[in-house]
Amino acid sequence: MGRSGLSGTGATTAAPSPLTPRESSVLELVARGLTNRQIGAQLYISEKTVSVHLSRVMAKLAAGSRTEAVNTAYQRGLLLPRGAERLPKPDKSA
């Protein structure tokens, strides 16, 4: 039996996100339309720290703007529409 506790079930795990948990949190709030100042207040970090996290997100996603970063994240499944739940990726070997 493998590390996942699943043996021969055909279950797969999603590829890990290229974003850190904090970067994901910042991006989720950007997607909701919050400003860097508002994000900082909500996450208890400075506006400058928000800017650094967002710059790293944009670099990792090869995005030239906040809007493009959010759009790319939705396309790659890194962000889900509000109320949506993350489902496991289907097994392509079947």
Side-chain angles (χ1 to χ4, degrees):
M1 189 174 330
R3 282 186 163 174
S4 68
L6 301 173
S7 177
T9 62
T12 60
T13 56
S17 172
L19 305 178
T20 67
R22 182 57 97 182
E23 290 167 348
S24 293
S25 296
V26 168
L27 189 58
E28 287 173 15
L29 295 174
V30 169
R32 291 185 192 174
L34 275 66
T35 65
N36 286 5
R37 180 171 290 173
Q38 292 168 326
I39 293 167
Q42 188 159 340
L43 298 179
Y44 303 102
I45 58 178
S46 74
E47 188 175 348
K48 177 65 177 173
T49 301
V50 172
S51 178
V52 169
H53 286 310
L54 189 54
S55 292
R56 289 181 180 159
V57 167
M58 290 168 57
K60 288 178 180 182
L61 299 181
S65 68
R66 297 164 69 96
T67 304
E68 187 179 358
V70 169
N71 186 48
T72 300
Y74 277 124
Q75 289 176 348
R76 294 185 187 177
L78 301 174
L79 281 179
L80 297 175
R82 289 177 109 182
E85 88 180 55
R86 192 172 299 276
L87 299 174
K89 291 190 176 187
D91 182 12
K92 294 183 180 180
S93 65

